[in-house]
Amino acid sequence: AQSVTQLGSHVSVSEGALVLLRCNYSSSVPPYLFWYVQYPNQGLQLLLKYTSAATLVKGINGFEAEFKKSETSFHLTKPSAHMSDAAEYFCAVSGSSNSGYALNFGKGTSLLVTP
Amino acid sequence: KAGVTQTPRYLIKTRGQQVTLSCSPISGHRSVSWYQQTPGQGLQFLFEYFSETQRNKGNFPGRFSGRQFSNSRSEMNVSTLELGDSALYLCASSSQGQGYNSPLHFGNGTRLTVT
């Protein structure tokens, strides 16, 4: 079955610094990959998705992610962090397996942005 | 287009009671998925409905049930509430459902507190 592992449950960066949130996937077939963001007391919002059209995917709010098959990674980056980026970020993989079709989320990474 | 709407936004119930949560998906979406989110367990998949049929189910006891109506609106029910059922319950809709490249669109959730 497809799964994702997010490295680091908490990441802290200074305002203006590079944001790097790590996600590694496990899939026997080319996967569909997503990044979501969740602000306090809200649902999840789609940041970007990878569907094999291009390995570098640009999303909303200046975020982008690069699909690297050789590393089975789909890390999320943003060149310059803003205070408003503080939130919980989830990586997810979608696909089929013996148990059916599913969308599996990682455990999430909480991003803290300090002034 | 209107987003995913979940009602009520907040709910307080007593142990042993039952509760019904409602979800109206984005117009045209035939798939509705439900998730439970808690600080300790993170995001846990409950079930997915597609065109009124349960297509996928997570590892939750039978006290958790759901259904989908012909207009794609969905309800989930939890009977004999336990303190551990206190959580944010998220509903998400999509056009193709889990396992495909169409992303999930989430509502803002129902915050259930069991006392």
Side-chain angles (χ1 to χ4, degrees):
Chain A
Q2 295 85 3
S3 65
V4 290
T5 302
Q6 293 185 240
L7 300 175
S9 58
H10 294 83
V11 170
S12 181
V13 300
S14 300
E15 190 175 19
L18 171 72
V19 175
L20 170 60
L21 304 182
R22 301 177 187 274
C23 172
N24 287 91
Y25 69 90
S26 170
S27 175
S28 58
V29 298
Y32 301 122
L33 293 162
F34 306 85
W35 274 101
Y36 286 85
V37 61
Q38 185 180 30
Y39 300 101
N41 294 317
Q42 292 186 24
L44 280 69
Q45 178 184 359
L46 179 70
L47 271 177
L48 50 82
K49 67 175 184 179
Y50 168 76
T51 56
S52 78
T55 56
L56 184 62
V57 183
K58 293 189 183 300
I60 62 172
N61 301 339
F63 284 93
E64 62 182 34
E66 186 173 8
F67 174 75
K68 290 187 177 180
K69 185 177 179 181
S70 60
E71 299 177 7
T72 61
S73 69
F74 190 57
H75 301 332
L76 182 71
T77 61
K78 182 174 181 178
S80 176
H82 192 272
M83 297 296 289
S84 61
D85 294 327
E88 188 88 14
Y89 291 81
F90 294 91
C91 181
V93 61
S94 180
S96 64
S97 68
N98 290 337
S99 55
Y101 293 90
L103 175 68
N104 297 312
F105 284 91
K107 293 190 179 299
T109 297
S110 180
L111 176 66
L112 174 66
V113 182
T114 58
Chain B
K1 253 185 186 179
V4 177
T5 303
Q6 291 188 247
T7 56
R9 190 79 172 86
Y10 299 93
L11 208 47
I12 299 175
K13 290 286 188 179
T14 305
R15 268 181 304 176
Q17 288 186 315
Q18 77 164 17
V19 67
T20 299
L21 311 182
S22 180
C23 173
S24 293
I26 291 172
S27 177
H29 284 186
R30 294 160 64 188
S31 165
V32 173
S33 297
W34 288 89
Y35 290 85
Q36 181 195 68
Q37 186 177 31
T38 59
Q41 299 297 320
L43 267 174
Q44 292 186 283
F45 171 68
L46 280 156
F47 28 67
E48 180 200 11
Y49 286 87
F50 189 90
S51 293
E52 300 180 67
T53 300
Q54 188 180 86
R55 192 161 71 171
N56 211 348
K57 189 177 189 302
N59 190 27
F60 276 81
R63 300 186 297 108
F64 292 82
S65 62
R67 60 178 175 169
Q68 186 179 33
F69 303 96
S70 58
N71 61 359
S72 292
R73 191 177 69 85
S74 177
E75 290 181 346
M76 68 162 283
N77 185 79
V78 188
S79 62
T80 320
L81 284 166
E82 300 177 359
L83 294 179
D85 297 333
S86 295
L88 180 66
Y89 289 88
L90 292 166
C91 166
S93 75
S94 74
S95 56
Q96 294 175 292
Q98 300 206 6
Y100 299 92
N101 68 354
S102 60
L104 301 188
H105 298 265
F106 284 81
N108 283 329
T110 294
R111 174 75 64 184
L112 173 65
T113 302
V114 182
T115 62

